């Protein structure tokens, strides 16, 4: 009897023996069946194979008989129905059907047959192929299709089912990447034809790409340094292509230059796909080719091309991933993509395409964000989602604030867009807009999303005085221009009121109340108080949560006592962690206030005194008072300090001394971090040289946990700086640090992104696949949202007690709990995420 697996192996062997690939049918990554087949025998065979996969008894024999008869019938037909074409057609169709692929292709015998020639070449043996040049690309094509499925990827990465030399078993992924590296380095003398070797190499890089553009695949392939090998090949090819003489009019272009260009683009495309994951983006940045890769992506993006045949979406996810880092945003800006997004927005929002003269304005849309503008809106949200992007594109960039704007004058940069759509504070700007209310509303909606990121808001406020501008606009929007005038309730005043409350009130869902943007039916359509000066009306702040300032709770007292008694034992921390988990599940509200401060102080001091727990060398810090006082606090940092003091006062955690103690703490931390920074680090982004962008939210969180005690806060942070956890929950501590490799420090990319967010995406794909798919459909990434939450310690997203639990859990349980917390949040939000994805509001909802 012929088993189903036997039949598939026969198909592969037919390809090996009759690998005809004539010029009229180039090897593309198309899913279409062979050209010229009117009624394809492969379609009938695939239907029998699918049936055989479900009920496998006599079906396989029938399929085999029909298959052999088909081959005999078409033995003398044109190429479109040659045996190899028929076999490949069946294999392709099997790959596309999940159930059939699992039964027919995802089998050890099939994978062994596919990779047998590859293993032979790796071992320096003679391959039993009639034409290796034609067969190897066909093998790679099937392998890529298998790796593009979850089951096939798992088979390649985790099942040790291949026998290599000396009867040693290994994983298919390792064989494929080793063979790819040999092709790149041209170590296979039997395959010396340069043009053909590029074809084979490109095909096998594409197989690797299906693996390394996933988080788990990159983990497996990363030790091989494939990104370095591809980058080296690209640099070599690029230098060779520069030596090709410029074509002369009338002369025929040589195939050499054409092939060289195709090979260069293939390598760039392969490098670009490392940016599909956070850790892959770090590897891409380290190759030094990120600018060229992003420029290549932009050239394809403008043509609205897909990433590849295996991707169902365009470059949206990759653009968002690249925009999470300073080097990536700099590359996006250099490529022209940022300018293209702004120009496209202006075209759909205001006056149509650039080449067409403006004759009359379009009809006024009825929605705040019209459907025609939604795509541009979401593209800008994705681009400016991280504070790194905002700082890179807006840092030290003043607004034009011209006295006159012509109707033909279009914004071409993010500062120009803010000047025309957000900072609309003069008559000249108002008169320059065809749709003043619609366009300004669009700008305020975008501003609202940007200000959700506290670091982005601090930059906007420090440079452009956003709050003062909005308050002035509210003062002018009254019925009578005097103190007794009432606010005019319109679309713009409601939007401005929402933004003002969002940036003025700090707190989680139980600590502040944001006004809606929609009016209500009845006599009072907008019952929320509008304001045009500080302070914020009390209507928008809820009663502060009760914080346990006393550590004499029975459970907390016994917890601290047990830790004190057992801290010298080897199992002391394990007992402490068990007790902590018990309290978190039974009485979490006790883990706030003085009890939590005492606990963190003891735990961090204990861990930092243990040589086995210290990941970094202990901080040797003793700054003189004169040095501390001379440390400069930037305008952004001063605004962050004011925000922290305002939140601490609302929570009733701080005394009057905190006004001077928090700036003093920030100066001490600044000096500490300067001493710990590497002098050999040369950042890829100009603004990164001035230090970490934004505010130190962890230091402020610790200051509030310690109830404004500067000395205790500084001591805790000094001890924490020697622990591995500090590299992940304290971004300022690890930025440009001497404790990380120079190439990582130079990137300016935080471990919070390339490590924590990377593992979050990996776990989401495995544990919460619907959420992972929802992000890909939205062109958004979980890593962007994780970076947003974690950088500001979940401020404005969680209540104070939950922020305390986040910090304490990461310190006591280990830095990997930062990953688990993010996955838990996404799992909790799954119903909302799926609903908002359908309405194209995922990014705004999560922000």
């Amino acid at each position: 009897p012929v088993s189903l697996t036997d039949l598939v192996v026969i198909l592969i062997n037919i390809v090996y023996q009759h690998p005809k690939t004539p010029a009229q049918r180039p090897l593309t990554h198309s899913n279409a069946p062979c050209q010229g087949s009117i009624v394809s025998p492969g379609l009938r065979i695939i239907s029998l194979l699918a049936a055989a996969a479900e009920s496998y008894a006599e079906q396989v024999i029938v399929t085999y008989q029909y298959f052999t008869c088909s081959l005999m019938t078409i033995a003398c037909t044109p190429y479109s129905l040659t045996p190899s074409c028929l076999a490949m057609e069946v294999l392709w169709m099997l790959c596309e059907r999940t159930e059939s692929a699992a039964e027919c292709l995802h089998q050890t015998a099939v994978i062994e047959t596919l990779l047998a020639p590859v293993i032979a070449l790796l071992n320096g043996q003679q391959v039993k192929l009639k034409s290796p040049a034609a067969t190897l690309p066909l093998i790679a094509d099937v392998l890529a299709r298998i790796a593009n499925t979850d089951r096939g990827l798992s088979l390649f990465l985790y099942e040790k089912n291949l026998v290599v030399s000396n009867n040693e078993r290994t994983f298919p992924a390792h064989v494929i990447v080793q063979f790819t590296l040999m092709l790149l380095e041209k170590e296979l003398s039997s395959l010396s034809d340069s043009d053909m070797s590029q074809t084979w190499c490109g095909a096998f890089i594409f197989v690797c790409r299906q693996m390394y553009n996933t988080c788990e695949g990159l983990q497996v392939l990363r030790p091989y340094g494939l990104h370095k090998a591809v980058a080296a090949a690209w640099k070599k090819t690029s230098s060779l292509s520069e030596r090709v003489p410029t074509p002369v009019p009338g002369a025929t272009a040589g195939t050499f230059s054409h092939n060289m260009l195709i090979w260069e683009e293939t390598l760039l495309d392969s490098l670009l796909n490392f940016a599909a994951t956070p850790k892959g983006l770090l590897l891409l940045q380290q190759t030094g080719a990120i600018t060229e890769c992003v420029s290549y992506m932009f050239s394809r993006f403008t043509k609205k091309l897909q990433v590849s045949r295996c991707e169902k979406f365009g470059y949206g996810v990759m653009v968002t991933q690249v925009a999470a880092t300073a080097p990536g945003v700099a590359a996006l800006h250099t490529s022209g993509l940022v300018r293209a997004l702004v120009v496209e927005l202006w075209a759909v929002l205001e006056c149509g395409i650039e080449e067409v003269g403006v004759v009359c304005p379009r009809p006024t849309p009825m929605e705040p964000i019209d459907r025609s503008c939604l795509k541009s809106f979401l593209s800008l949200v994705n681009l400016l989602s991280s504070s790194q992007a905002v700082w890179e594109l807006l840092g030290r960039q003043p607004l034009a604030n011209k006295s006159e704007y012509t109707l033909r004058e279009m914004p071409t940069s993010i500062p120009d867009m803010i000047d025309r759509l957000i900072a609309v504070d003069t008559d000249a700007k108002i008169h320059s807009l065809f749709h003043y209310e619609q366009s300004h509303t669009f700008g305020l909606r975008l501003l609202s999303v940007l200000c959700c990121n506290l670091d982005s808001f601090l930059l906007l406020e420090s440079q452009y005085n956003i709050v003062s501008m909005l308050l002035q606009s509210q003062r002018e929007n009254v019925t009578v221009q005097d103190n007794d005038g009432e606010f005019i309730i319109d679309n713009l005043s409601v939007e401005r009121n929402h933004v003002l409350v969002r940036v003025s009130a700090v707190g989680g869902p139980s600590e502040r109340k944001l006004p809606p943007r929609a009016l209500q039916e009845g006599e009072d359509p907008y019952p929320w108080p509008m304001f045009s000066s500080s302070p914020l009306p009390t209507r928008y702040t809820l009663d502060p949560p009760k914080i346990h300032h006393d550590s004499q709770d029975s459970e907390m007292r016994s917890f601290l006592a047990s830790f004190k008694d057992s801290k010298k034992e080897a199992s002391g921390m394990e007992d402490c962690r068990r007790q902590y988990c018990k309290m978190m599940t039974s009485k979490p509200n006790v883990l706030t206030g003085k009890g939590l401060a005492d606990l963190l102080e003891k735990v961090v001091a204990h861990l930092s005194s243990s040589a086995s727990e210290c990941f970094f060398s202990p901080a040797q810090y003793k700054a003189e008072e004169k040095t501390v006082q001379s440390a400069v606090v930037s305008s952004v940092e001063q605004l962050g300090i004011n925000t922290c003091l305002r939140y601490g006062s609302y929570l009733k955690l701080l005394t009057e001394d905190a006004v001077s103690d928090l700036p003093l703490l920030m100066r001490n931390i600044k000096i500490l971090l300067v001493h710990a920074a590497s002098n050999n680090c040369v950042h890829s982004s100009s603004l990164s040289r001035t230090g970490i962008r934004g505010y130190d939210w962890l230091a402020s969180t610790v200051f509030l946990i310690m109830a404004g005690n500067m000395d205790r806060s500084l001591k805790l942070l000094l001890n924490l700086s020697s622990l591995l956890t500090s590299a992940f929950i304290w971004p300022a501590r690890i930025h440009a640090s001497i404790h990380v490799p120079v190439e990582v420090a130079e990137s300016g990319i935080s471990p919070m992104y390339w490590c924590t967010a990377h593992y979050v995406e990996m776990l989401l794909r495995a544990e919460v696949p619907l959420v992972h798919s929802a992000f890909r459909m939205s062109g958004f990434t979980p890593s962007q949202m994780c970076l947003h939450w974690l950088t500001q310690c979940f401020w404005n997203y969680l209540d104070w007690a939950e922020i305390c639990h986040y910090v304490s859990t990461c310190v006591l349980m280990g830095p990997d709990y930062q990953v688990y917390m993010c996955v838990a949040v996404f799992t909790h939000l799954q119903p909302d995420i799926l609903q908002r994805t359908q309405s194209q509001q995922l990014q705004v909802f999560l922000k």
Side-chain angles (χ1 to χ4, degrees):
V2 180
S3 70
L4 196 59
T5 303
D6 292 339
L7 180 56
V8 177
V9 169
I10 290 171
L11 288 173
I12 298 169
N13 283 319
I14 288 172
V15 175
Y16 289 172
Q17 296 306 314
H18 306 278
K20 294 185 179 180
T21 54
Q24 65 265 27
R25 187 180 177 277
L27 282 171
T28 62
H29 297 298
S30 170
N31 292 330
C34 298
Q35 300 173 3
S37 53
I38 300 172
V39 179
S40 171
L43 290 174
R44 297 186 63 186
I45 292 180
I46 197 68
S47 63
L48 287 171
L49 281 172
E54 296 176 3
S55 67
Y56 169 119
E58 298 88 2
Q59 296 276 359
V60 178
I61 305 299
V62 174
T63 304
Y64 178 67
Q65 291 172 349
Y66 174 78
F67 174 67
T68 52
C69 290
S70 298
L71 293 185
M72 291 169 64
T73 304
I74 62 176
C76 298
T77 58
Y79 168 75
S80 60
L81 291 181
T82 55
S84 60
C85 184
L86 173 62
M88 284 300 297
E89 180 186 339
V90 174
L91 291 173
W92 285 338
M93 296 173 74
L94 286 174
C95 291
E96 298 298 323
R97 306 187 181 194
T98 306
E99 297 80 5
S100 302
E103 292 292 337
C104 301
L105 295 178
H106 301 160
Q107 304 295 327
T108 299
V110 174
I111 303 301
E112 284 180 344
T113 306
L114 281 171
L115 288 175
V118 174
I119 294 174
L121 287 169
L122 279 173
N123 294 333
Q125 301 170 358
Q126 190 70 28
V127 291
K128 299 178 180 179
L129 300 174
K130 282 192 173 181
S131 174
T135 307
L136 287 174
L138 296 176
I139 295 173
D141 187 88
V142 177
L143 291 172
R145 293 169 188 267
I146 294 175
N148 190 44
T149 63
D150 291 341
R151 171 72 186 112
L153 180 65
S154 178
L155 182 72
F156 281 5
L157 297 179
Y158 305 124
E159 294 193 18
K160 194 180 267 190
N161 52 18
L162 287 182
V163 178
V164 291
S165 59
N166 300 324
N167 292 327
E168 180 187 352
R169 286 192 170 271
T170 188
F171 304 93
H174 295 266
V175 171
I176 294 169
V177 70
Q178 287 173 15
F179 185 69
T180 305
L181 288 171
M182 291 184 72
L183 287 174
L184 276 169
E185 295 164 5
K186 298 186 177 179
E187 294 182 4
L188 294 174
S189 57
S190 59
L191 307 175
S192 57
D193 186 349
S194 60
D195 289 341
M196 291 306 299
S197 65
Q198 290 175 2
T199 303
W200 308 323
C201 191
F204 276 90
I205 291 176
F206 191 77
V207 182
C208 294
R209 183 165 129 186
Q210 305 315 306
M211 294 184 275
Y212 67 67
N213 65 12
T214 66
C215 294
E216 55 269 48
L218 187 73
Q219 290 294 116
V220 173
L221 300 189
R222 188 167 65 94
Y224 290 95
L226 182 62
H227 63 290
K228 295 179 181 178
V230 176
W234 168 75
K235 289 175 183 176
K236 181 179 179 181
T237 305
S238 179
S239 64
L240 289 175
S241 64
E242 290 175 357
R243 301 175 196 171
V244 176
T246 305
V248 180
T252 56
T255 58
F256 175 77
S257 59
H258 178 69
N259 292 339
M260 188 73 69
L261 178 62
I262 292 177
W263 178 231
E264 185 178 355
E265 289 186 349
T266 299
L267 293 171
L268 268 182
D269 199 29
S270 302
L271 275 176
L272 172 64
N273 273 264
F274 277 98
T277 63
K279 190 169 291 186
L281 181 58
L282 175 67
L283 299 180
L284 172 60
Q285 198 277 332
Q286 291 174 358
T287 65
I290 188 169
T291 301
E292 290 81 1
C293 288
V294 172
S295 297
Y296 171 76
M297 176 180 68
F298 176 57
S299 68
R300 290 179 60 85
F301 183 79
T302 55
K303 300 171 186 174
K304 304 187 185 303
L305 299 175
Q306 291 186 170
V307 179
S308 74
R309 67 160 177 83
C310 293
E311 290 286 342
K312 296 179 176 62
F313 309 105
Y315 283 97
V317 170
M318 207 169 291
V319 171
T320 309
Q321 201 78 274
V322 170
T325 67
V329 176
L332 288 172
H333 185 262
T334 303
S335 71
L337 187 139
V338 176
R339 183 185 188 280
L341 290 179
V342 174
V343 170
E344 182 183 10
L345 162 67
W346 194 259
V348 297
L349 188 64
E350 271 291 308
C351 58
I353 60 176
E354 189 174 4
E355 292 82 5
V356 179
V358 179
V359 178
C360 62
R362 295 177 301 151
T364 302
M366 302 303 293
E367 296 295 329
I369 301 294
D370 186 57
R371 296 295 298 179
S372 63
C373 305
L374 182 60
K375 182 180 178 181
S376 296
F377 179 76
L378 295 179
S379 296
L380 286 171
V381 169
N382 292 348
L383 174 68
L384 302 172
S385 185
S386 70
S387 60
Q388 295 286 329
V390 176
W391 279 73
E392 187 69 37
L393 297 173
L394 291 174
R396 298 197 291 268
Q397 298 290 325
L399 300 182
N401 285 323
K402 296 181 180 180
S403 58
E404 184 179 358
Y405 295 86
T406 64
L407 293 177
R408 284 185 170 275
E409 194 171 348
M410 299 179 68
T412 57
S413 65
I414 300 299
D416 287 349
M417 183 195 67
I418 291 177
D419 183 52
R420 301 293 300 276
L421 298 180
I422 295 178
V424 189
D425 52 355
T426 65
D427 290 340
K429 294 180 183 180
I430 293 173
H431 297 324
S432 70
L433 300 174
F434 270 135
H435 298 97
Y436 162 63
E437 185 172 355
Q438 177 75 11
S439 298
H440 192 24
T441 301
F442 182 100
L444 291 174
R445 284 283 175 101
L446 181 61
L447 175 65
S448 178
V449 177
L450 291 180
C451 290
C452 293
N453 189 310
L454 287 174
D455 287 323
S456 298
F457 163 67
L458 295 183
L459 177 68
L460 292 170
E461 176 63 13
S462 66
Q463 291 191 168
Y464 309 134
N465 295 317
I466 293 293
V467 173
S468 299
M469 179 193 68
L470 295 177
L471 290 174
Q472 178 63 31
S473 297
Q474 291 294 73
R475 280 193 289 272
E476 296 172 355
N477 196 47
V478 292
T479 54
V480 181
Q481 292 294 330
D482 57 25
N483 294 332
D484 298 327
E486 295 183 357
F487 288 100
I488 298 174
I489 298 180
D490 59 9
N491 202 22
L492 291 175
S493 63
V494 169
E495 287 290 340
R496 280 192 293 261
N497 193 56
H498 181 90
V499 176
L500 283 168
V501 175
R502 180 179 290 280
V503 300
S504 302
V506 183
S510 301
E511 298 166 349
R512 68 172 181 173
K513 184 172 286 188
L514 299 176
R517 295 182 170 100
L519 301 182
Q520 300 177 1
E521 295 183 0
E523 297 180 356
D524 191 3
Y526 193 76
W528 302 90
M530 289 193 177
F531 59 101
S532 58
S533 61
S534 298
L536 187 73
T538 56
R539 177 77 179 275
Y540 298 114
T541 54
L542 305 174
D543 293 335
K546 184 179 179 181
I547 297 174
H548 292 257
H549 294 285
D550 187 6
S551 63
Q552 299 308 309
D553 177 87
S554 57
E555 284 196 45
M556 177 61 76
R557 188 168 58 248
S558 61
F559 185 12
L560 293 174
S562 64
F563 176 71
K564 181 179 180 181
D565 296 338
S566 61
K567 68 179 183 179
K568 293 183 180 180
E569 301 175 7
S571 61
M573 275 309 300
E574 291 303 317
D575 294 338
C576 177
R577 287 169 180 141
R578 278 194 292 270
Q579 188 71 14
Y580 176 80
C581 291
K582 181 180 177 182
M583 289 191 66
M584 278 292 291
T585 52
S586 62
K587 213 172 183 180
N589 58 335
V590 175
L591 289 167
T592 55
K594 189 175 185 301
L596 177 64
D598 293 342
L599 174 64
L600 282 176
E601 203 169 39
K602 290 185 176 183
V603 169
V604 173
H606 169 65
L607 292 174
S608 61
S609 64
S610 170
S612 61
E613 295 288 349
C614 282
F615 192 83
F616 306 111
S617 56
Q620 304 296 328
Y621 173 77
K622 189 177 181 181
E624 297 179 358
E625 183 177 352
K626 183 179 179 181
T627 306
V628 173
Q629 293 299 332
S630 63
V632 178
V633 176
S634 67
S635 58
V636 169
E637 291 170 326
Q638 187 58 55
L639 287 171
I641 288 171
N642 296 340
T643 302
C644 178
L645 293 175
R646 190 165 69 246
Y647 189 37
S649 299
Y650 160 75
L651 295 172
K652 300 178 181 177
L653 293 172
L654 302 178
T655 61
E656 294 181 357
D657 296 336
V659 176
S660 58
D661 285 346
L662 182 55
L664 184 60
L665 174 65
M666 289 303 179
R667 288 190 178 95
N668 276 281
I669 294 300
K670 204 166 188 179
I671 295 172
L672 166 68
L673 297 178
V674 168
H675 289 165
S678 172
N679 295 325
N680 299 323
C681 183
V682 180
H683 288 286
S684 56
S685 173
S686 58
L687 286 177
S688 294
R689 299 190 189 102
T690 60
I692 189 168
R693 303 160 169 191
Y695 183 68
D696 193 341
W697 297 103
L698 180 87
S700 290
T701 303
V702 169
F703 184 76
L704 295 185
I705 290 175
M706 293 299 173
N709 189 311
M710 201 282 295
D711 293 329
R712 292 183 71 186
S713 302
L714 181 59
K715 184 178 179 181
L716 177 67
L717 289 168
L718 286 173
N719 290 333
L720 180 66
S721 66
S722 64
L723 305 181
L724 177 62
T725 304
S726 67
F728 299 96
I729 67 172
W730 192 5
R733 186 259 176 280
I734 205 67
H735 178 78
S737 173
I738 58 175
H739 299 296
V740 297
V742 175
E743 61 271 17
V744 177
E746 286 180 348
S747 71
I749 305 176
S750 168
M752 193 180 278
Y753 177 74
W754 57 262
C755 190
T756 299
H758 181 86
Y759 288 121
V760 169
E761 290 201 2
M762 180 188 292
L763 286 182
L764 279 182
R765 180 184 170 102
E767 304 286 342
V768 202
L770 291 179
V771 170
H772 184 269
S773 299
F775 272 101
R776 292 197 68 82
M777 290 175 64
S778 300
F780 200 47
T781 59
S783 55
Q784 278 272 33
M785 209 59 235
C786 290
L787 196 64
H788 183 150
W789 289 335
L790 299 174
T791 303
Q792 60 192 55
C793 278
F794 286 99
W795 282 40
N796 282 352
Y797 289 95
L798 298 180
D799 294 335
W800 173 245
E802 294 167 332
I803 293 173
C804 292
H805 295 161
Y806 158 69
V807 175
S808 59
T809 300
C810 291
V811 171
L812 270 80
M813 304 301 294
D816 51 332
Y817 275 78
Q818 188 182 54
V819 176
Y820 308 144
M821 173 133 186
C822 291
V823 175
V825 171
F826 284 126
T827 306
H828 169 71
L829 292 174
Q830 177 170 336
D832 292 311
I833 287 175
L834 298 181
Q835 179 184 353
R836 302 288 178 161
T837 301
Q838 292 182 347
S839 58
Q840 292 184 286
Q841 296 177 338
L842 178 62
Q843 296 93 318
V844 178
F845 164 71
L846 288 175
K847 287 282 176 181

